[in-house]
Amino acid sequence: MNRKPKVTCAAVAFAALLSPSMGQTADANGNYALRGAGSIPCSDYVTAIASDPAEAQVFVAWMAGYITARSRTTEDTFDVLPLISGADVAGLLRVVCVQNGDATFENAIDAALTLFTPARVKFDSPLLELQHNGRTVSIREATLAEVQTALSGEGLYSSTVDGAFGPGTRTAIEQFQALRGLQETGLPDADTLVALLLPAP
Protein backbone atom coordinates (compact mmCIF):
# COMPACT_ATOMS: atom_id res chain seq x y z
CA MET A 1 0.00 0.00 0.00
CA ASN A 2 2.99 2.36 0.08
CA ARG A 3 3.09 2.70 -3.70
CA LYS A 4 2.62 6.07 -5.33
CA PRO A 5 -0.84 6.75 -6.76
CA LYS A 6 -1.08 6.20 -10.50
CA VAL A 7 -4.10 8.43 -11.05
CA THR A 8 -3.20 12.10 -11.13
CA CYS A 9 -5.01 13.72 -14.07
CA ALA A 10 -8.39 14.31 -12.42
CA ALA A 11 -7.22 15.46 -9.00
CA VAL A 12 -8.05 19.14 -9.54
CA ALA A 13 -11.65 18.37 -10.48
CA PHE A 14 -12.37 16.79 -7.11
CA ALA A 15 -12.07 20.02 -5.14
CA ALA A 16 -15.24 21.43 -6.68
CA LEU A 17 -17.10 18.18 -6.09
CA LEU A 18 -16.21 17.86 -2.42
CA SER A 19 -19.03 19.45 -0.48
CA PRO A 20 -21.40 18.33 2.25
CA SER A 21 -24.31 18.34 -0.21
CA MET A 22 -22.85 15.55 -2.34
CA GLY A 23 -24.11 12.00 -2.02
CA GLN A 24 -27.44 10.24 -1.78
CA THR A 25 -29.95 12.12 0.33
CA ALA A 26 -31.83 10.24 3.02
CA ASP A 27 -34.10 12.70 4.82
CA ALA A 28 -35.85 15.86 3.65
CA ASN A 29 -32.80 17.94 4.59
CA GLY A 30 -30.27 15.71 2.84
CA ASN A 31 -28.88 14.28 6.09
CA TYR A 32 -27.90 10.63 6.42
CA ALA A 33 -26.10 8.42 8.92
CA LEU A 34 -22.43 7.89 8.19
CA ARG A 35 -20.77 4.85 9.73
CA GLY A 36 -17.36 3.24 9.95
CA ALA A 37 -14.34 4.39 7.98
CA GLY A 38 -16.50 6.66 5.83
CA SER A 39 -16.94 9.07 8.73
CA ILE A 40 -13.18 9.45 9.31
CA PRO A 41 -11.24 12.42 7.85
CA CYS A 42 -9.38 11.79 4.60
CA SER A 43 -6.12 12.78 6.27
CA ASP A 44 -6.37 9.59 8.39
CA TYR A 45 -6.53 7.50 5.21
CA VAL A 46 -3.40 9.18 3.84
CA THR A 47 -1.60 8.54 7.14
CA ALA A 48 -2.71 4.90 7.19
CA ILE A 49 -1.42 4.29 3.66
CA ALA A 50 1.97 5.71 4.64
CA SER A 51 2.40 3.99 7.99
CA ASP A 52 -0.20 1.34 8.85
CA PRO A 53 -1.12 -1.13 6.07
CA ALA A 54 -3.59 -2.97 8.33
CA GLU A 55 -5.47 0.26 9.04
CA ALA A 56 -5.34 1.20 5.35
CA GLN A 57 -7.06 -2.11 4.54
CA VAL A 58 -9.99 -1.07 6.75
CA PHE A 59 -10.48 1.99 4.53
CA VAL A 60 -10.02 -0.04 1.34
CA ALA A 61 -12.59 -2.63 2.45
CA TRP A 62 -15.08 0.11 3.35
CA MET A 63 -14.49 1.73 -0.02
CA ALA A 64 -15.08 -1.56 -1.88
CA GLY A 65 -18.41 -2.01 -0.13
CA TYR A 66 -19.42 1.57 -0.85
CA ILE A 67 -18.55 1.23 -4.55
CA THR A 68 -20.45 -2.07 -4.76
CA ALA A 69 -23.53 -0.48 -3.19
CA ARG A 70 -23.37 2.47 -5.59
CA SER A 71 -23.06 0.10 -8.55
CA ARG A 72 -26.12 -1.78 -7.36
CA THR A 73 -28.24 1.32 -6.79
CA THR A 74 -27.17 3.51 -9.73
CA GLU A 75 -29.50 3.30 -12.70
CA ASP A 76 -28.17 2.09 -16.05
CA THR A 77 -24.91 0.95 -14.43
CA PHE A 78 -23.01 -2.30 -14.03
CA ASP A 79 -19.97 -0.74 -12.36
CA VAL A 80 -19.65 2.90 -11.30
CA LEU A 81 -15.91 2.84 -12.03
CA PRO A 82 -14.05 1.74 -15.15
CA LEU A 83 -10.96 1.13 -12.98
CA ILE A 84 -10.61 -2.55 -12.10
CA SER A 85 -7.40 -2.57 -10.05
CA GLY A 86 -7.93 -2.04 -6.34
CA ALA A 87 -4.53 -0.34 -6.23
CA ASP A 88 -5.66 2.18 -8.87
CA VAL A 89 -8.83 2.98 -6.93
CA ALA A 90 -6.93 3.25 -3.64
CA GLY A 91 -4.38 5.52 -5.34
CA LEU A 92 -7.14 7.70 -6.79
CA LEU A 93 -8.63 8.16 -3.32
CA ARG A 94 -5.21 8.94 -1.88
CA VAL A 95 -4.78 11.78 -4.39
CA VAL A 96 -8.20 13.17 -3.48
CA CYS A 97 -7.54 12.86 0.26
CA VAL A 98 -4.08 14.49 0.09
CA GLN A 99 -5.75 17.58 -1.38
CA ASN A 100 -8.82 17.46 0.87
CA GLY A 101 -7.63 16.17 4.24
CA ASP A 102 -10.56 17.58 6.23
CA ALA A 103 -13.23 15.95 4.04
CA THR A 104 -14.73 12.70 5.24
CA PHE A 105 -13.56 9.57 3.47
CA GLU A 106 -17.13 8.97 2.26
CA ASN A 107 -17.32 12.47 0.81
CA ALA A 108 -14.09 11.86 -1.12
CA ILE A 109 -15.36 8.57 -2.54
CA ASP A 110 -18.66 10.18 -3.50
CA ALA A 111 -16.80 12.97 -5.32
CA ALA A 112 -14.69 10.44 -7.22
CA LEU A 113 -17.70 8.37 -8.26
CA THR A 114 -19.61 11.47 -9.31
CA LEU A 115 -16.70 12.59 -11.46
CA PHE A 116 -16.50 9.14 -13.09
CA THR A 117 -20.22 9.00 -13.94
CA PRO A 118 -19.66 9.61 -17.69
CA ALA A 119 -17.12 6.74 -17.79
CA ARG A 120 -19.15 4.24 -15.76
CA VAL A 121 -19.58 0.72 -17.14
CA LYS A 122 -23.18 0.41 -18.26
CA PHE A 123 -23.33 -3.35 -18.84
CA ASP A 124 -21.41 -6.50 -17.98
CA SER A 125 -18.78 -7.63 -20.47
CA PRO A 126 -15.72 -9.89 -20.40
CA LEU A 127 -12.80 -8.83 -18.25
CA LEU A 128 -9.67 -8.50 -20.38
CA GLU A 129 -6.08 -8.70 -19.20
CA LEU A 130 -3.99 -6.63 -21.60
CA GLN A 131 -0.21 -6.93 -21.73
CA HIS A 132 2.41 -4.80 -23.41
CA ASN A 133 6.12 -4.28 -22.66
CA GLY A 134 5.98 -6.26 -19.42
CA ARG A 135 2.98 -4.35 -18.05
CA THR A 136 -0.53 -5.68 -17.48
CA VAL A 137 -3.82 -3.81 -17.26
CA SER A 138 -7.24 -5.30 -16.49
CA ILE A 139 -10.17 -3.64 -18.22
CA ARG A 140 -13.67 -4.63 -19.32
CA GLU A 141 -14.28 -5.16 -23.01
CA ALA A 142 -17.04 -2.53 -22.91
CA THR A 143 -14.63 0.03 -21.44
CA LEU A 144 -12.04 -0.76 -24.11
CA ALA A 145 -14.72 -0.13 -26.75
CA GLU A 146 -15.37 3.26 -25.09
CA VAL A 147 -11.64 3.94 -25.26
CA GLN A 148 -11.66 3.15 -28.98
CA THR A 149 -14.65 5.44 -29.52
CA ALA A 150 -12.94 8.27 -27.65
CA LEU A 151 -9.69 7.75 -29.57
CA SER A 152 -11.69 7.87 -32.79
CA GLY A 153 -13.17 11.19 -31.64
CA GLU A 154 -9.62 12.45 -31.12
CA GLY A 155 -8.76 11.46 -34.71
CA LEU A 156 -6.29 8.81 -33.55
CA TYR A 157 -8.22 5.61 -34.27
CA SER A 158 -9.98 4.71 -37.52
CA SER A 159 -10.54 0.97 -37.24
CA THR A 160 -13.54 -0.99 -35.95
CA VAL A 161 -14.83 -0.25 -32.44
CA ASP A 162 -14.90 -3.83 -31.17
CA GLY A 163 -13.38 -3.84 -27.69
CA ALA A 164 -10.38 -5.83 -28.96
CA PHE A 165 -6.81 -4.84 -28.13
CA GLY A 166 -5.03 -4.95 -31.45
CA PRO A 167 -2.01 -3.03 -32.74
CA GLY A 168 -4.19 -0.17 -34.05
CA THR A 169 -5.72 0.38 -30.61
CA ARG A 170 -2.32 0.17 -28.91
CA THR A 171 -0.77 2.67 -31.35
CA ALA A 172 -3.68 5.09 -30.92
CA ILE A 173 -3.34 4.87 -27.13
CA GLU A 174 0.40 5.57 -27.36
CA GLN A 175 -0.26 8.60 -29.59
CA PHE A 176 -2.88 9.91 -27.15
CA GLN A 177 -0.53 9.40 -24.21
CA ALA A 178 2.25 11.28 -26.02
CA LEU A 179 -0.11 14.17 -26.84
CA ARG A 180 -1.23 14.43 -23.19
CA GLY A 181 2.22 14.04 -21.67
CA LEU A 182 1.34 10.71 -20.07
CA GLN A 183 3.65 7.75 -19.70
CA GLU A 184 3.56 5.99 -23.09
CA THR A 185 2.56 2.51 -21.96
CA GLY A 186 0.33 1.72 -24.94
CA LEU A 187 -2.20 0.42 -22.43
CA PRO A 188 -5.50 1.91 -21.22
CA ASP A 189 -4.10 2.42 -17.72
CA ALA A 190 -5.70 4.53 -15.01
CA ASP A 191 -4.19 7.88 -16.05
CA THR A 192 -5.17 7.26 -19.66
CA LEU A 193 -8.77 6.37 -18.74
CA VAL A 194 -9.05 9.54 -16.68
CA ALA A 195 -7.63 11.77 -19.42
CA LEU A 196 -9.56 10.12 -22.25
CA LEU A 197 -12.97 9.31 -20.77
CA LEU A 198 -13.62 12.11 -18.30
CA PRO A 199 -14.69 15.62 -19.24
CA ALA A 200 -12.04 18.29 -18.80
CA PRO A 201 -12.34 20.09 -15.42
Side-chain angles (χ1 to χ4, degrees), residues 91-169:
L92 171 69
L93 266 295
R94 182 190 175 282
V95 169
V96 175
C97 285
V98 163
Q99 296 183 351
N100 303 279
D102 292 336
T104 64
F105 190 60
E106 185 270 346
N107 204 218
I109 296 171
D110 182 70
L113 299 184
T114 299
L115 184 68
F116 269 92
T117 297
R120 73 192 186 282
V121 181
K122 295 183 180 179
F123 55 90
D124 191 9
S125 67
L127 186 60
L128 307 175
E129 194 169 275
L130 312 181
Q131 297 180 346
H132 183 59
N133 289 339
R135 295 176 181 261
T136 302
V137 167
S138 296
I139 187 172
R140 294 206 176 273
E141 186 177 274
T143 303
L144 186 56
E146 289 292 323
V147 166
Q148 291 170 326
T149 299
L151 289 167
S152 179
E154 295 280 333
L156 301 172
Y157 181 76
S158 59
S159 193
T160 305
V161 173
D162 56 7
F165 188 64
T169 301

Side-chain angles (χ1 to χ4, degrees), residues 38-92:
S39 64
I40 298 173
C42 257
S43 57
D44 288 12
Y45 173 60
V46 175
T47 300
I49 286 178
S51 62
D52 189 348
E55 182 66 19
Q57 284 304 311
V58 172
F59 284 94
V60 170
W62 196 95
M63 174 178 60
Y66 187 89
I67 291 169
T68 299
R70 281 285 286 270
S71 293
R72 180 176 180 157
T73 59
T74 302
E75 190 175 336
D76 191 30
T77 299
F78 175 75
D79 193 339
V80 291
L81 283 177
L83 305 175
I84 301 296
S85 164
D88 286 342
V89 178
L92 171 69

